[in-house]
Amino acid sequence: MTALLVAYLTLLPLLGGLSDGGPHDLGRGLQLLLLPLATGTVLSRSRFAMPTSVQAIMALAAGMVVACATLTSALPDVAARDVLLWLSLAVCTLACTWTNSIRLLLIALVCGQAMYATVVSSITVVSLIDEHMVDYFRLAIGYENIRFLNHAQTVFVPLLLCVVGNPAFERRWRGLASYALVLTLFLVSLLQARATTVALVSAGIAAPILFGRAGRQFARRLAWVAVGGVALHIAVMVVLPFVLGIEIPPGYRPYGEASSVEARIFLLKTAWGDIVAHPWLGVGPMHFAHYFNGDAAHPHNVYAQVAAEYGLPLALLLVFMVVRTLWRVARTIGRDIPDDPLAIASFAACLAALVDGCFSGNFVMPMSQMWIVLAVSLLLSRLPRSPAAAPASSLVTTSMRALLVVLFAAQIWLICVSLPEWLSGNPVISRGPPIESEHYSPRFWRDGWF
């Protein structure tokens, strides 16, 4: 299953660039087809671990709130899509933890990202030489827009750092990973990816604090490739124009430009209005996209999104569970596997995604969702199995298998209702007259309003 996920992440940008439809819609459609395979993979496992009482209570409480939020929403069948998608991604994460070929998968990721970064960087340089300008919107090959590319970079930069300086990989792979990272951070700098920058800096600061010497090594490698990326940015966008005798081209956006910040504030105010009006169960899963606001079908903040759509109690519960889990995982890594570069890199990738989620829709878009699934699954795969963990009883195992069968059936239903929309050419969840908007606002589909 992990190999399919890596193939999805590596090949989809190319397929999205060649596709007549939007890359977002192609990514969502292929994602929906992958998720039942993940559920089948988990079903095929012969044993399950016994959940702790705390895990069972939290899961039961969260499940009850989600069910109530779905049933009380304006369109429960649409709300069910969002719930199914989140549950399916969680199961996909579990399916991808069982792999014995992590080294080959990381090499495939390095090769794929090196190729992609080379193509996009080459387009930048050639455009500057031939046209004396850079059309930034042409650089998001295989992504709906530039920021969706940045969402992916937030996760795969830390993951690829585990190859740099890792003696388990030959020099050629370490060099190729460094090359891919320098080009990637050149693009991060070129495209003024502020959320990605904040997320990577946060991961670089947290790693030494949490993991000591190995964390400092991770932070140094991140700093060096970042310096290389910024130096390349200066060379391409300042030195090259000087050599060519042309003006320095304008940046992607003027520095200090505040329109995107103002849009974020507007969306947060909109989400806050939903929270105040529906504090306990929210407006309904995915229903931020049901009430047209003229700007975006998600609030560009995953925490505000969960609170607005599922209610404040569930949002607080999930934040508590995430913080608790991250702290316990960090302690386990520091105590049991302090020198495991992949464990530290995947932890940093998860932390970076959570920070990026404060400013963006990385938990909404299919490509970044699957990158997050990969990061979490790699992290889980590195953690040592607790000797105190008991196998699940036959009753618990039977119950879990029954729930997975129900989820599998629900995923097939989701494919059946989504496939006609996907094949229509311009997918949209239609429940009435179309909503007139000046631009696409991606959510489930590229045209995210319903």
Side-chain angles (χ1 to χ4, degrees):
M1 186 63 214
T2 312
L4 286 176
L5 177 57
V6 170
Y8 174 96
L9 296 172
T10 304
L11 298 178
L12 186 59
L14 176 61
L15 296 175
L18 299 176
S19 172
D20 293 332
H24 179 93
D25 294 338
L26 178 63
R28 181 71 75 204
L30 293 177
Q31 180 190 52
L32 294 179
L33 296 177
L34 280 177
L35 295 178
L37 298 178
T39 304
T41 300
V42 177
L43 266 171
S44 68
R45 303 299 296 181
S46 58
R47 301 178 66 183
F48 296 92
M50 188 73 177
T52 65
S53 57
V54 174
Q55 292 172 336
I57 291 171
M58 287 186 175
L60 181 61
M64 292 176 62
V65 174
V66 168
C68 291
T70 302
L71 294 173
T72 58
S73 63
L75 297 171
D77 63 317
V78 178
R81 294 197 193 196
D82 198 55
V83 175
L84 281 174
L85 192 56
W86 283 106
L87 289 175
S88 300
L89 290 172
V91 172
C92 186
T93 300
L94 294 177
C96 293
T97 59
W98 297 307
T99 179
N100 296 318
S101 53
I102 290 179
R103 183 177 181 277
L104 291 177
L105 296 175
L106 288 173
I107 289 174
L109 287 176
V110 167
C111 293
Q113 298 313 310
M115 185 182 305
Y116 182 89
T118 299
V119 171
V120 177
S121 301
S122 299
I123 291 174
T124 304
V125 174
V126 170
S127 298
L128 196 58
I129 294 174
D130 288 349
E131 304 170 9
H132 296 175
M133 61 170 288
V134 177
D135 184 355
Y136 294 97
F137 296 97
R138 288 168 52 190
L139 303 183
I141 300 173
Y143 293 86
E144 202 64 50
N145 64 48
I146 285 170
R147 294 305 173 222
F148 295 4
L149 167 61
N150 296 148
H151 300 340
Q153 291 169 331
T154 297
V155 179
F156 72 67
V157 165
L159 290 181
L160 265 59
L161 276 171
C162 79
V163 178
V164 179
N166 188 339
F169 292 87
E170 293 86 348
R171 181 178 297 179
R172 64 178 181 274
W173 301 124
R174 300 198 299 268
L176 187 61
S178 300
Y179 166 81
L181 285 166
V182 168
L183 289 186
T184 296
L185 288 161
F186 156 64
L187 295 174
V188 169
S189 178
L190 179 70
L191 301 175
Q192 300 172 15
R194 293 169 291 189
T196 296
T197 300
V198 171
L200 293 176
V201 169
S202 299
I205 293 173
I209 296 173
L210 295 172
F211 306 120
R213 181 180 60 84
R216 290 191 293 273
Q217 291 177 345
F218 173 88
R220 280 197 297 269
R221 290 165 185 159
L222 177 60
W224 276 116
V225 294
V227 168
V230 172
L232 185 58
H233 182 187
I234 295 172
V236 171
M237 301 302 288
V238 177
V239 177
L240 182 59
F242 176 78
V243 172
L244 296 174
I246 61 176
E247 292 185 3
I248 296 176
Y252 174 61
R253 281 179 173 163
Y255 286 101
E257 179 265 338
S259 62
S260 63
V261 176
E262 293 169 353
R264 297 294 192 279
I265 294 173
F266 167 75
L267 292 170
L268 287 175
K269 287 181 177 178
T270 303
W272 177 248
D274 292 337
I275 294 169
V276 171
H278 306 272
W280 299 108
L281 297 176
V283 295
M286 210 195 297
H287 275 58
F288 191 88
H290 181 53
Y291 303 101
F292 182 71
N293 59 52
D295 197 334
H298 59 93
H300 286 72
N301 182 304
V302 66
Y303 311 101
Q305 177 183 317
V306 173
E309 295 185 342
Y310 290 84
L312 198 55
L314 182 65
L316 293 175
L317 176 61
L318 290 178
V319 168
F320 169 75
M321 292 171 64
V322 168
V323 172
R324 177 177 179 268
T325 301
L326 284 176
W327 176 245
R328 295 183 68 174
V329 167
R331 291 181 61 188
T332 299
I333 293 173
R335 181 183 66 246
D336 298 335
I337 45 174
D339 297 318
D340 188 327
L342 180 54
I344 294 172
S346 53
F347 183 94
C350 294
L351 182 61
L354 290 168
V355 174
D356 195 357
C358 295
F359 313 102
S360 70
N362 61 329
F363 281 85
V364 171
M365 308 310 163
M367 178 65 82
S368 51
Q369 284 176 337
M370 300 305 270
W371 273 110
I372 294 169
V373 164
L374 178 64
V376 177
S377 65
L378 289 175
L379 177 58
L380 294 177
S381 72
R382 307 306 292 174
L383 299 179
R385 185 179 296 275
S386 172
S393 64
S394 58
L395 176 60
V396 172
T397 298
T398 302
S399 300
M400 293 177 71
R401 288 189 183 280
L403 290 174
L404 287 170
V405 170
V406 171
L407 177 61
F408 183 84
Q411 290 169 336
I412 299 303
W413 167 81
L414 181 58
I415 291 174
C416 290
V417 298
S418 303
L419 190 60
E421 297 169 351
W422 184 25
L423 298 178
S424 68
N426 184 28
V428 63
I429 300 175
S430 179
R431 292 294 186 277
I435 296 174
E436 299 296 334
S437 178
E438 296 179 355
H439 57 82
Y440 285 115
S441 296
R443 185 63 194 264
F444 190 84
W445 299 118
R446 175 174 60 167
D447 190 350
W449 302 110
F450 61 91

